[in-house]
Amino acid sequence: SVKKEKTFVFGVVAGMNMSNFKYKYSDGFVGSVLNYGYEKSLGETPNYQSEMGYNFGVTLDVKLVNNFFIKTGLVYTNHKVSNDFNGKYEIAEVFSDEGYVGYLIGYMYDRFEENYSLNYLDVPILASYRLPLTKNKKLNIQFNAGLNVGIGLSGKLDYSGYNTSDGYNLTF
């Protein structure tokens, strides 16, 4: 007798992930959400670092023919990233007061940390091929290609830091 393979296979998925967070310069402006400065030359380039996130959910594999499947499911995914910034800027401003022209020279210091946590409901839609490694097909290598639809559920930003200045010299 020939044993018929299952057409539908339900599963559970859980794991850890590392997120890659990118930013884009736009019209000369750069910076994080909270520290949005002008030009990279000011030293305000964000320093985003990946943090460990997690995911869990349910999956469904639908057999098409032979070793070809469609994979889908619902997966809750948490992405985390941080931005740590420590900068010192020289300030030179020209001002005018009642006919006098003056120069304000000194330093500005920024120190802050941002921690982002973003939560999504992911719906993968993948074409899958299973390459059997054993005759009974209990051990396979899976090749998947397709898309993942991510629906944003919530996000959180924890922020700490300060901005201060010192060393101002007033010259007329």
Side-chain angles (χ1 to χ4, degrees):
S1 103
V2 175
K3 186 176 179 182
K4 185 178 177 185
E5 290 187 60
K6 295 179 184 177
T7 305
F8 299 98
V9 179
F10 293 94
V12 177
V13 63
M16 308 299 277
N17 63 52
M18 297 290 282
S19 300
N20 186 12
F21 196 79
K22 294 185 179 184
Y23 59 92
K24 181 180 177 184
Y25 294 96
S26 176
D27 296 328
F29 285 91
V30 63
S32 71
V33 173
L34 297 176
N35 189 42
Y36 196 66
Y38 188 71
E39 294 295 337
K40 187 176 181 179
S41 62
L42 289 178
E44 294 187 11
T45 304
N47 182 29
Y48 292 110
Q49 301 294 319
S50 296
E51 302 289 337
M52 190 66 69
Y54 58 89
N55 60 62
F56 59 87
V58 293
T59 62
L60 172 65
D61 294 1
V62 180
K63 184 172 181 166
L64 300 176
V65 294
N66 294 332
N67 298 329
F68 291 95
F69 292 79
I70 294 291
K71 293 180 67 74
T72 190
L74 294 173
V75 181
Y76 178 87
T77 304
N78 170 262
H79 298 279
K80 292 184 179 181
V81 67
S82 65
N83 180 26
D84 193 15
F85 181 79
N86 191 5
K88 176 182 177 182
Y89 316 100
E90 185 174 5
I91 300 171
E93 295 183 25
V94 178
F95 67 93
S96 177
D97 185 23
E98 296 182 17
Y100 296 98
V101 175
Y103 301 93
L104 187 61
I105 300 171
Y107 292 97
M108 176 76 76
Y109 300 93
D110 284 334
R111 170 75 179 102
F112 66 84
E113 184 178 326
E114 301 167 323
N115 293 299
Y116 298 85
S117 180
L118 307 170
N119 301 301
Y120 289 86
L121 180 62
D122 290 331
V123 182
I125 304 168
L126 306 171
S128 178
Y129 177 76
R130 296 182 185 170
L131 177 65
L133 298 178
T134 60
K135 286 186 182 186
N136 63 7
K137 296 185 179 183
K138 293 207 182 249
L139 185 60
N140 301 289
I141 294 178
Q142 253 183 64
F143 299 95
N144 301 313
L147 60 99
N148 185 62
V149 178
I151 302 164
L153 299 176
S154 66
K156 181 180 178 184
L157 168 62
D158 290 326
Y159 171 80
S160 63
Y162 64 86
N163 176 290
T164 187
S165 59
D166 69 6
Y168 282 109
N169 296 317
L170 204 54
T171 311
F172 289 95

